[in-house]
Amino acid sequence: MVKLDHAKKNYSGFSLDCSLETNPGMITGLIGKNGSGKSTTFKAMLGLIALDGGSVDVFGKPVSELDSKDKQRIGVAFADSGFSNYLTMKDIWAILKSTYVDFDEKFFQDKCRQFEIPMKKKLQEFSTGMKARVKVLTALCHNADLLILDEPTVGLDVIARDEVLDLIREYMENHEQCSIMISSHISSDLENLCDDLYMIHDGRVILHEDTDVLLSDYAVIKVSETDYETLDKQYLIKTKKEPFGYCCLTDQKKFYLENYPKIAIQSGTIDDLIIMMNGGELR
Amino acid sequence: MRGLMRKDFALMMLQRKLLIMVLTIGGMLGATSSAASGSTFVVAYVGFIFILLATSTISYDELDNGETFLMTLPVTRREFIREKYLFGIIVTFIGWGIGVVLKLVFGMISGHFMLNKESVMEVTAILLSMILFLALILPVILKFGQEKGRIVWIVIIGIMFILGYAYEKWAQRTGMDVSARVSEIFSRHSGQVFPFAIILVCLLTYISYRISCKVWEKKEF
């Protein structure tokens, strides 16, 4: 559905060179620390920035050639952008109804009722959680084939986060051929939601893997200096010096479990992965 | 585009208190003006305030990176600009229409009401100048934003003032009065000048639209 082939964008102090792909029926996650290029990647996907090189294709055509009919098939939610905060939900309802040919009024109405979204209050009076729900609802209300959700759960408490994620899951169940691209700081959100994950660091994709594989085959190995000397290093992706010895990331957990039963091997969480891949320190 | 139009009307209605105030003042001006020229001023006053209200929707779009999201809606960049022009022209017509109604009503009340060729030409000239004003400010606001746009306007007005001053000095020195000559042509050939003025305003509005499209197509969000 979306294909970025070395999409390049240069800013002073930051450059993006990103290749990734999303496919029908899949939820693809984009993870990375602040400033790693997640939002720039999303903007490139939506044709909001001019590329300095490479290409972005959406629905099989260059993003710059998307017309309004193509854009009817895309639903977008940004963390830091949306409808004016001076509008009410009633206004937004009317705007969406006039904007999208396939606006699902019943879905919108039901969800507004379910989330107890006030119709006559301005968005600026809404809580952060309520605003986030409105943004996601706006993206989901018109049966889009492609959803681009940039940090839809940012700043939300656990309950609100869960509600937003449930909304996305429910949408995927009802739109099996839909493709969703989502970013989040909270890796547990993505662990339970995404089929595959891209990790981005300094504008480059440094890892792409199926979430199942990441959780089953990746592991963090903690060894003393002497154990490290005897360790077979061919399946280590990253090694970091630590006060106790070494901390290593592998994508062949089984190999080390079978051959080194005495060393400490922890199943890798996405948080561990981000920390290891980004060269930060383990807690 | 209908959705954007709804949004802009909703945003404009946020300033309904200002709108009511403008109409009240317009009404008072109309009621207190003893001459027909005074009530003509009401048309211009209400109309230009409506233009400012129409362009204020761009500020609302700019707030909190709103434009980034708006450009993900199913409109192309060109359609977005088309909507801004269409909305601006519709609001201008509404403002002008209200102004004309006020002028007629208070003209009748005060006994200055005259429906003749001159008064029709007068209000038509105001409408044309309003659309021209809209066509001038829209590319500036879209390029620089409402805040920076104001600074750009101060600079443009400054340049116009300097040019006007230079013209006056030149006219004094050479003894030629171009503006008097132009006024003379206008009054003598008003039948021909008006259709020409309408075509010129339409052409300038189209050029302005094309410039705004270029500005918007290059813009990054």
Side-chain angles (χ1 to χ4, degrees):
Chain A
M1 285 233 187
V2 181
K3 190 176 179 187
L4 273 76
D5 185 14
H6 287 285
K8 291 187 178 74
K9 182 69 190 171
N10 300 315
Y11 295 108
S12 60
F14 175 78
S15 72
L16 180 82
D17 183 350
C18 182
S19 297
L20 56 81
E21 208 170 337
T22 71
N23 294 303
M26 284 181 74
I27 304 181
T28 301
L30 189 61
I31 50 175
K33 61 180 184 179
N34 281 339
S36 58
K38 298 189 295 291
S39 294
T40 310
T41 304
F42 282 145
K43 285 181 180 181
M45 280 181 186
L46 291 161
L48 297 172
I49 50 172
L51 291 182
D52 295 321
S55 64
V56 178
D57 289 347
V58 179
F59 305 134
K61 59 161 109 169
V63 69
S64 57
E65 289 175 19
L66 289 187
D67 55 25
S68 45
K69 270 188 186 168
D70 296 319
K71 289 172 92 177
Q72 288 272 354
R73 298 171 60 197
I74 307 175
V76 182
F78 285 120
D80 62 348
S81 176
F83 278 117
S84 170
N85 281 329
Y86 291 93
L87 294 173
T88 63
M89 202 55 192
K90 203 177 155 197
D91 294 329
I92 290 173
W93 186 332
I95 294 164
L96 292 171
K97 200 176 166 184
S98 306
T99 301
Y100 291 106
V101 179
D102 209 3
F103 177 63
D104 191 340
E105 200 160 5
K106 190 180 176 305
F107 167 82
F108 195 79
Q109 193 176 6
D110 289 348
K111 292 298 166 192
C112 285
R113 210 171 287 157
Q114 182 189 331
F115 295 138
E116 295 173 351
I117 297 172
M119 285 293 155
K120 289 181 181 172
K121 267 189 184 176
K122 287 178 185 169
L123 292 192
Q124 63 181 355
E125 296 169 49
F126 282 22
S127 66
T128 313
M130 205 63 96
K131 277 183 193 168
R133 288 183 191 100
V134 171
K135 281 178 184 173
V136 175
L137 261 185
T138 304
L140 306 187
C141 69
H142 55 278
N143 297 308
D145 296 323
L146 171 65
L147 294 180
I148 295 177
L149 310 172
D150 186 13
E151 303 269 7
T153 55
V154 73
L156 303 188
D157 60 41
V158 186
I159 295 166
R161 236 167 61 203
D162 218 39
E163 277 180 355
V164 168
L165 294 173
D166 278 347
L167 207 57
I168 299 167
R169 272 190 209 100
E170 191 188 316
Y171 187 86
M172 198 64 191
E173 278 167 23
N174 297 328
H175 301 78
E176 286 179 359
Q177 286 309 299
C178 167
S179 175
I180 302 179
M181 184 88 203
I182 182 171
S183 73
S184 177
H185 276 104
I186 303 144
S187 52
S188 60
D189 288 356
L190 301 184
E191 273 176 20
N192 300 319
L193 185 74
C194 297
D195 298 297
D196 64 333
L197 289 166
Y198 283 90
M199 188 180 290
I200 189 166
H201 180 63
D202 286 341
R204 269 84 181 151
V205 171
I206 53 169
L207 184 83
H208 175 222
E209 194 62 89
D210 285 348
T211 314
D212 290 345
V213 176
L214 267 182
L215 297 176
S216 63
D217 295 357
Y218 281 65
V220 176
I221 301 168
K222 290 176 179 174
V223 283
S224 65
E225 284 195 35
T226 43
D227 284 344
Y228 181 73
E229 294 307 317
T230 60
L231 201 67
D232 185 344
K233 297 176 187 69
Q234 63 172 317
Y235 300 118
L236 297 182
I237 299 172
K238 197 130 183 179
T239 304
K240 286 169 66 65
K241 182 83 182 78
E242 296 288 348
F244 59 81
Y246 288 93
C247 193
C248 316
L249 182 72
T250 179
D251 58 353
Q252 298 290 331
K253 185 169 83 179
K254 270 185 193 164
F255 172 82
Y256 289 99
L257 278 173
E258 283 165 11
N259 295 293
Y260 303 92
K262 286 182 182 167
I263 62 172
I265 300 176
Q266 295 173 351
S267 289
T269 63
I270 292 176
D271 278 335
D272 292 336
L273 216 74
I274 294 173
I275 294 163
M276 286 296 290
M277 295 301 284
N278 288 340
E281 284 186 15
L282 275 172
R283 280 168 286 178
Chain B
M1 201 152 78
R2 273 194 313 132
L4 290 178
M5 199 71 91
R6 266 184 179 268
K7 168 192 72 71
D8 282 344
F9 273 111
L11 289 172
M12 200 179 94
M13 287 317 288
L14 290 170
Q15 300 178 75
R16 52 184 171 268
K17 281 182 189 161
L18 179 67
L19 258 171
I20 293 165
M21 204 174 80
V22 166
L23 294 179
T24 312
I25 294 172
M28 281 160 63
L29 282 171
T32 52
S33 62
S34 53
S37 61
S39 59
T40 301
F41 171 75
V42 175
V43 183
Y45 168 74
V46 177
F48 279 100
I49 296 286
F50 266 68
I51 291 178
L52 295 178
L53 288 177
T55 55
S56 73
T57 60
I58 299 173
S59 302
Y60 283 108
D61 290 348
E62 283 172 8
L63 274 175
D64 306 319
N65 303 317
E67 283 173 344
T68 307
F69 171 73
L70 292 177
M71 292 320 296
T72 69
L73 295 177
V75 281
T76 60
R77 292 185 180 218
R78 201 165 271 238
E79 284 166 348
F80 184 86
I81 294 300
R82 203 175 300 154
E83 185 275 336
K84 283 286 169 212
Y85 274 74
L86 204 60
F87 174 73
I89 290 169
I90 290 170
V91 172
T92 302
F93 265 93
I94 294 171
W96 176 79
I98 292 172
V100 170
V101 169
L102 286 174
K103 176 183 162 68
L104 290 177
V105 169
F106 291 107
M108 276 190 231
I109 292 168
S110 63
H112 290 288
F113 176 69
M114 278 186 294
L115 188 62
N116 52 25
K117 194 181 162 194
E118 277 70 36
S119 62
V120 171
M121 278 168 57
E122 215 169 49
V123 289
T124 312
I126 291 172
L127 176 66
L128 290 178
S129 57
M130 278 160 60
I131 292 174
L132 193 63
F133 176 66
L134 181 75
L136 283 172
I137 61 169
L138 274 178
V140 177
I141 295 174
L142 289 165
K143 168 82 181 164
F144 299 102
Q146 192 79 278
E147 287 305 311
K148 280 187 197 163
R150 274 190 201 130
I151 298 166
V152 173
W153 266 108
I154 290 167
V155 173
I156 290 173
I157 290 166
I159 292 169
M160 281 165 69
F161 179 78
I162 292 166
L163 288 176
Y165 182 75
Y167 161 74
E168 201 184 306
K169 286 282 167 199
W170 173 79
Q172 272 176 8
R173 202 182 308 148
T174 57
M176 282 177 73
D177 193 351
V178 179
S179 53
R181 181 87 185 104
V182 170
S183 303
E184 193 189 316
I185 293 169
F186 265 77
S187 55
R188 200 184 298 164
H189 305 284
S190 57
Q192 288 90 355
V193 168
F194 254 85
F196 173 74
I198 291 169
I199 293 167
L200 186 70
V201 168
C202 289
L203 185 71
L204 289 173
T205 307
Y206 180 69
I207 293 169
S208 159
Y209 163 71
R210 292 303 296 261
I211 293 169
S212 296
C213 283
K214 285 264 174 262
V215 165
W216 212 248
E217 272 158 15
K218 282 184 185 166
K219 188 161 179 162
E220 300 206 357
F221 299 93

